[in-house]
Amino acid sequence: MMNLKGNPELTPREGDVGRCVSSACVLGLCAEEIVHAENLMRPLKNYGIACMSMGFLIEETAPVVWRGLMVMSAVEKLLRQVDWGQLDYLVIDMPPGTGDVQLSVSQNIPIAGAVIVSTPQDVALLDAHKGAEMFRKVHVPVLGLVQNMSVFQCPKCKHETHIFGTDGIKDLAKTLGLDILGDVPLHINIRETCDSGQPVVVSQPQSDAVLCFLLHHQSLHCQLCP
């Protein structure tokens, strides 16, 4: 989801709620420590992106087994007690589902839109459908769907295999009346660069795998800044 401030010179910054540790590690920020100043936490920065994560506030292997008020308090802390500075976008990465995290975020900040990301198999699409309907009920525009792990291409023979199916996202988009913003392939370069904390768009900007992310950005920018 994005909170747009309207600056055409876009500098994305990520506020991570729910899937905290994974995206922080993607940015190479797993082992950093939070700095407090004037009763506000300062987000960690890498590649020009400021990031805040629950993973920064707890032990690396500690589970977050919170519900209800504790979840809402944590969301409020990440939104209101972080010195984000001047933002163009605030992107919030959330887990699948329609629970406390999603409702807390929807009710606490003005949201320009939600993006639903799903793999194309039926089990995942059920959650994606519920998520889209939930955002509509709380009057959050759904900007479109992104199909993750859309296709696997053998690095040796280049044969393409649709491991999780082919038309699931297309059918869901038609049912919901939404656009497909793009596909993210099941690509070894994307996985390896994420695990190393050097995202493929930074470490391999000329690779074919980067094109899908650039197309997603362009599609969202056109919707949010017509």
Side-chain angles (χ1 to χ4, degrees):
M1 290 181 296
M2 299 181 180
N3 187 15
L4 180 64
K5 296 297 184 181
N7 186 348
E9 300 295 330
L10 298 181
T11 308
R13 292 173 170 82
E14 182 166 318
D16 188 354
V17 176
R19 291 184 177 182
C20 312
V21 175
S22 58
S23 63
C25 289
V26 166
L27 295 174
L29 296 173
C30 297
E32 299 287 346
E33 295 182 355
I34 295 296
V35 176
H36 294 260
E38 298 180 356
N39 297 320
L40 294 176
M41 294 181 291
R42 288 182 180 171
L44 303 180
K45 296 183 180 181
N46 206 3
Y47 310 119
I49 298 176
C51 178
M52 178 54 67
S53 170
M54 280 304 301
F56 298 151
L57 308 178
I58 61 175
E59 293 294 328
E60 182 177 0
T61 58
V64 180
V65 285
W66 300 345
R67 300 191 68 179
L69 292 175
M70 293 182 69
V71 172
M72 289 185 282
S73 176
V75 170
E76 183 73 13
K77 188 178 185 69
L78 294 180
L79 291 174
R80 308 293 185 190
Q81 298 180 32
V82 174
D83 182 12
W84 289 112
Q86 182 65 36
L87 296 183
D88 302 310
Y89 288 131
L90 176 62
V91 181
I92 304 175
D93 177 23
M94 297 193 298
T98 56
D100 291 331
V101 173
Q102 290 82 357
L103 289 175
S104 295
V105 171
S106 301
Q107 294 169 354
N108 276 280
I109 59 173
I111 299 173
V115 176
I116 307 295
V117 181
S118 177
T119 50
Q121 79 267 36
D122 291 343
V123 173
L125 292 170
L126 287 173
D127 278 342
H129 195 161
K130 292 176 183 177
E133 294 292 358
M134 184 214 73
F135 285 120
R136 285 176 167 175
K137 284 188 176 182
V138 295
H139 308 294
V140 172
V142 180
L143 303 177
L145 306 173
V146 172
Q147 182 171 235
N148 195 18
M149 302 184 190
S150 57
V151 64
F152 170 74
Q153 184 183 76
C154 175
K156 293 184 178 180
C157 70
K158 306 302 181 182
H159 175 73
E160 292 188 349
T161 302
H162 295 272
I163 296 174
F164 298 107
T166 55
D167 297 324
I169 285 286
K170 292 180 181 178
D171 293 340
L172 180 59
K174 185 176 180 180
T175 298
L176 294 171
L178 296 172
D179 293 330
I180 298 176
L181 301 175
D183 296 340
V184 178
L186 183 59
H187 200 294
I188 190 169
N189 285 358
I190 297 175
R191 195 276 301 167
E192 288 178 342
T193 56
C194 285
D195 285 350
S196 68
Q198 299 176 321
V200 67
V201 294
V202 175
S203 58
Q204 301 176 19
Q206 304 303 319
S207 69
D208 293 340
V210 171
L211 179 61
C212 62
F213 296 105
L214 296 179
L215 293 174
H216 298 168
H217 177 271
Q218 291 172 359
S219 297
L220 289 173
H221 183 50
C222 288
Q223 289 194 60
L224 294 170
C225 300

